[in-house]
Amino acid sequence: MGKQDCLFCRIAKKDIQSKIVFEDSQVLAFEDVNPQAPVHILIIPKEHIDKVSDLTPEHAEIVGRLVLAAKDIAAKKGVKESGYRIVMNCNKDAGQAVFHLHLHLLGGRKFSWPPG
Ligand code: AMP
Ligand code: ZN
């Protein structure tokens, strides 16, 4: 299972170490190695999906699970009341660097809007 050359597939298989904060049969969440906020967690499906624009109706459940995991982790990390942002970057204008679907959970500081 997983793409051999994909960083996040390798993290999901535990071939590459990460600081895991949540795991179930379909979802893994771990600390971003280059945090942009006091709380910066990446939430991924264990199944490889390149990016948002490749999603199909069959992915509705897993996408929902990513968001629900983010909500629970935000509460666990203490940013439920202060607030947080969830972000999915798709392709180059958004700056997607890792082509394995992931949701960023960012919190612990104030974010600007519109985003940079
Ligand atoms: P994106 O620009 O949305 O593709 O974000 C990719 C994110 O993955 C960036 O925030 C990186 O800091 C993060 N990242 C890259 N390599 C690792 C790694 N080995 N462990 C944890 N996070 C990583
Ligand atoms: Zn992958």
Side-chain angles (χ1 to χ4, degrees), residues 7-8 11 16-19 30-36 40 42 87-90 94-100 102 104:
L7 175 64
F8 288 177
I11 286 177
I16 293 176
Q17 230 187 345
S18 68
K19 290 185 185 162
F30 51 95
E31 304 275 357
D32 195 293
V33 79
N34 181 24
Q36 302 301 312
H40 189 173
L42 299 175
V87 174
M88 294 174 97
N89 294 319
C90 183
Q96 184 177 3
V98 178
F99 284 80
H100 178 126
H102 53 280
H104 295 257

Side-chain angles (χ1 to χ4, degrees), residues 12-107:
K13 284 191 295 179
K14 323 250 170 79
D15 286 350
I16 293 176
Q17 230 187 345
S18 68
K19 290 185 185 162
I20 295 172
V21 299
F22 171 80
E23 178 171 20
D24 67 16
S25 60
Q26 295 175 58
V27 172
L28 186 74
F30 51 95
E31 304 275 357
D32 195 293
V33 79
N34 181 24
Q36 302 301 312
V39 174
H40 189 173
I41 309 292
L42 299 175
I43 302 154
I44 69 168
K46 289 187 173 178
E47 169 196 4
H48 182 89
I49 302 164
D50 261 38
K51 56 189 181 297
V52 172
S53 49
D54 295 325
L55 290 169
T56 67
E58 285 68 44
H59 295 120
E61 185 191 339
I62 187 65
V63 172
R65 283 174 177 263
L66 298 179
V67 176
L68 290 170
K71 180 208 74 167
D72 290 342
I73 295 163
K76 208 164 71 181
K77 291 282 180 181
V79 296
K80 177 182 173 180
E81 300 304 332
S82 53
Y84 52 91
R85 188 169 285 180
I86 61 177
V87 174
M88 294 174 97
N89 294 319
C90 183
N91 275 336
K92 67 175 181 339
D93 276 2
Q96 184 177 3
V98 178
F99 284 80
H100 178 126
L101 192 77
H102 53 280
L103 188 157
H104 295 257
L105 166 64
L106 297 146

